[in-house]
């Protein structure tokens, strides 16, 4: 399984902590710091099954506070994903407050059925991201019937 991490300038640090925890688990990580550049993954011929996109990704590490710019960035991403018709990709958007979560919700209509929005204030620990990745892995595993 390939998990994309887009979390601004700290994306590499997050990936470093996760790589150690998942080194034998069949999980590969793709790092793209900013949401604007995620389409480049497809341009390189790569793909991902799950995406964790943190608010710092679309606010450029909170240096961009212009709501229109932020909305456009999120909407362009969602539209590009929808146009690729990848119904099996799951997206997790991690926001710091309800206002940001509402913005994301309004702008991801094209991929809303494959998306989850989590509201959580920083500090985000490696344990938090590990749990998040594990939950994504669990969701994608087929369920097996209980033996009779």
């Amino acid at each position: 399984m390939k998990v994309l991490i887009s979390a601004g300038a700290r994306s590499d640090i997050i990936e470093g902590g996760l790589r150690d925890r998942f080194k034998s688990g069949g999980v590969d990580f793709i790092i793209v710091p900013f949401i604007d550049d995620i389409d480049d993954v497809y341009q390189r011929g790569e793909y991902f099954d799950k995406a964790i996109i943190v608010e710092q990704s679309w606010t450029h590490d909170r240096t961009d506070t212009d709501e229109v710019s932020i909305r456009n960035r999120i909407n362009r991403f969602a539209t590009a994903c929808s146009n690729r018709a990848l119904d099996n990709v799951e997206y997790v958007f991690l926001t710091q407050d309800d206002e940001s979560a509402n913005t994301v919700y309004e702008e991801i209509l094209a991929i809303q059925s494959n998306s989850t929005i989590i509201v959580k204030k920083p500090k985000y620990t490696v344990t938090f991201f590990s749990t998040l990745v594990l939950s994504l892995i669990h969701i994608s595993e087929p369920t097996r019937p209980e033996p009779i």
Side-chain angles (χ1 to χ4, degrees):
M1 172 183 305
K2 293 190 179 192
V3 178
L4 179 130
I5 306 279
S6 185
R10 299 187 59 86
S11 298
D12 288 330
I13 295 168
I14 295 166
E15 188 261 346
L18 292 174
R19 188 177 347 106
D20 292 341
R21 292 182 181 219
F22 290 94
K23 62 184 164 194
S24 63
V27 178
D28 295 319
F29 295 98
I30 299 172
I31 302 305
V32 180
F34 301 108
I35 198 170
D36 304 330
D37 302 321
I38 293 175
D39 199 50
D40 294 348
V41 171
Y42 295 112
Q43 300 302 325
R44 293 189 307 257
E46 294 184 85
Y47 72 94
F48 51 89
D49 303 295
K50 315 290 182 189
I52 299 173
I53 305 167
V54 182
E55 187 168 342
Q56 287 83 340
S57 171
W58 64 81
T59 62
H60 288 245
D61 290 316
R62 304 199 51 90
T63 60
D64 183 358
T65 58
D66 178 57
E67 183 178 356
V68 173
S69 171
I70 290 168
R71 284 180 176 277
N72 285 338
R73 198 171 284 130
I74 296 166
N75 187 276
R76 276 194 309 271
F77 168 74
T79 301
C81 290
S82 176
N83 288 343
R84 291 191 181 282
L86 301 172
D87 296 334
N88 58 335
V89 177
E90 294 179 45
Y91 307 92
V92 174
F93 293 88
L94 181 57
T95 71
Q96 297 184 25
D97 55 48
D98 290 338
E99 183 180 345
S100 181
N102 287 333
T103 298
V104 170
Y105 182 79
E106 292 168 0
E107 297 303 327
I108 63 167
L109 290 175
I111 59 171
Q112 209 168 54
S113 63
N114 297 28
S115 299
T116 301
I117 301 169
I118 298 173
V119 179
K120 181 182 182 335
K121 293 210 179 285
K123 179 173 185 179
Y124 306 127
T125 63
V126 173
T127 301
F128 168 76
F129 279 106
S130 295
T131 303
L132 187 55
V133 170
L134 284 171
S135 71
L136 288 171
I137 292 169
H138 179 70
I139 290 169
S140 66
E141 288 181 352
T143 55
R144 295 188 178 102
E146 300 267 338
I148 300 177

